[in-house]
Amino acid sequence: MYIIVDDRESVANSYVGGLVREGVSSIGFSSGEFWDWLQSASESDLAAVDAFLLGDCDGRGSLPRAMRKRSSAPIIAMSGQRMLKNTLELFEAGVDDVVHVPVHLREILARTAAIARRRVGELPRPCESRIQVFFNGRDPEIAGHALTLPRRELRILEYMVANHGKWITKTQIFNAIYGLFESTFDESVIESHVSKLRKKLRDRLGFDAIVARRYVGYRLNIPAGEPLEEPLQELDEVGILLNRAQAAPAAYPAGA
């Protein structure tokens, strides 16, 4: 889930709409609304955030440090001023990256993925795997062959790969796939999605790659000898927890 912070409602809505068309859940806040949410958000809610996009808003110089105290998600500032002084000030404020608008949404998604990938790269990485996901809408490869999955099953698999070996709750999966503020669907839909995905993986792999435990949640579990690896992609192929790409506007304006 992406959170856009911008005091210009029309601009925030433009980014939200574009992300939704890319299959990524998102929500826009004004700076005041975001401060209130950040102070009261639970740890599980914050864990569902893929990135913060910081636009034109009050307190932009202090917001990044407040975000970082509560979340490790990438913080990307969107600036309409192509001035070195302004860019340096944003980095000094604590953002992870600065993009200049207008900018294509897929560039933002690629930059977010690159930031996250660098952080993961600092940790020990397993070697060969029978499950490969690409985080850019491309069909995953299971046992060496592409497997076409419905959009939400793909996103669940991507989320499980990103959290390989960890127990993740139904609520965590729901928030990551549907967004924190989704009220149309009930969390129980996750059980159906996971059940279908689990069967498809079992048919392809010959064993249960997803372990389910009542009251605990789910875990992607590759047996010894089948460690998991997320393959590195070139910049133009990466994204973070993306669905199959839909057509999106070429660029987003600097202001309303």
Side-chain angles (χ1 to χ4, degrees):
M1 178 176 179
Y2 278 63
I3 290 183
I4 299 95
V5 185
D6 199 304
D7 287 334
R8 302 163 298 176
E9 184 177 0
S10 60
V11 174
N13 289 341
S14 176
Y15 281 99
V16 169
L19 286 165
V20 169
R21 284 189 289 275
E22 288 287 348
V24 181
S25 60
S26 62
I27 188 170
F29 285 116
S30 67
S31 55
E33 292 170 336
F34 180 73
W35 275 113
D36 291 340
W37 178 82
L38 185 63
Q39 293 170 6
S40 61
S42 67
E43 293 299 321
S44 60
D45 284 352
L46 288 164
V49 178
D50 294 319
F52 299 99
L53 304 184
L54 190 59
D56 188 354
C57 58
D58 291 338
R60 187 156 74 163
S62 56
L63 269 174
R65 288 189 175 86
M67 294 172 177
R68 187 57 69 232
K69 288 180 179 179
R70 299 223 57 203
S71 173
S72 61
I75 303 170
I76 298 179
M78 301 179 292
S79 175
Q81 299 180 3
R82 293 180 178 272
M83 298 172 57
L84 178 61
K85 180 177 181 292
N86 177 258
T87 300
L88 293 178
E89 287 175 349
L90 288 169
F91 277 115
E92 290 171 0
V95 304
D96 295 300
D97 201 356
V98 178
V99 297
H100 296 95
V101 293
V103 59
H104 199 289
L105 264 180
R106 292 184 185 176
E107 179 179 340
I108 293 177
L109 296 171
R111 288 177 179 272
T112 303
I115 294 168
R117 190 173 62 243
R118 285 196 296 270
R119 292 175 180 173
V120 171
E122 296 172 358
L123 303 174
R125 295 178 60 83
C127 52
E128 187 179 358
S129 170
R130 294 186 67 185
I131 297 181
Q132 293 185 338
V133 295
F134 303 97
F135 298 97
N136 64 350
R138 174 179 165 185
D139 288 337
E141 292 185 4
I142 311 298
H145 299 282
L147 175 64
T148 300
L149 294 173
R151 184 181 65 178
R152 291 196 171 102
E153 289 178 30
L154 172 59
R155 293 230 25 226
I156 290 172
L157 179 60
E158 291 171 337
Y159 186 72
M160 287 186 166
V161 165
N163 291 277
H164 176 238
K166 300 177 183 177
W167 286 103
I168 48 180
T169 67
K170 183 169 60 178
T171 298
Q172 286 176 304
I173 299 174
F174 182 87
N175 289 343
I177 307 309
Y178 286 92
L180 296 172
F181 305 95
E182 173 60 56
S183 58
T184 306
F185 298 94
D186 186 84
E187 285 185 8
S188 60
V189 299
I190 296 300
E191 297 174 8
S192 175
H193 291 321
V194 172
S195 176
K196 293 174 183 177
L197 174 61
R198 188 181 185 187
K199 182 180 185 302
K200 292 172 184 176
L201 294 180
R202 183 172 61 244
D203 290 345
R204 182 66 62 88
L205 294 170
F207 61 86
D208 264 327
I210 297 176
V211 179
R213 182 175 296 175
R214 193 175 184 185
Y215 305 123
V216 177
Y218 304 96
R219 184 178 68 183
L220 185 64
N221 185 45
I222 306 300
E226 299 293 352
L228 185 70
E229 180 182 59
E230 299 168 35
L232 296 179
Q233 302 298 305
E234 296 298 327
L235 183 64
D236 61 353
E237 287 189 347
V238 297
I240 193 163
L241 297 179
L242 298 183
N243 298 310
R244 289 175 174 76
Q246 305 294 322
Y252 293 81

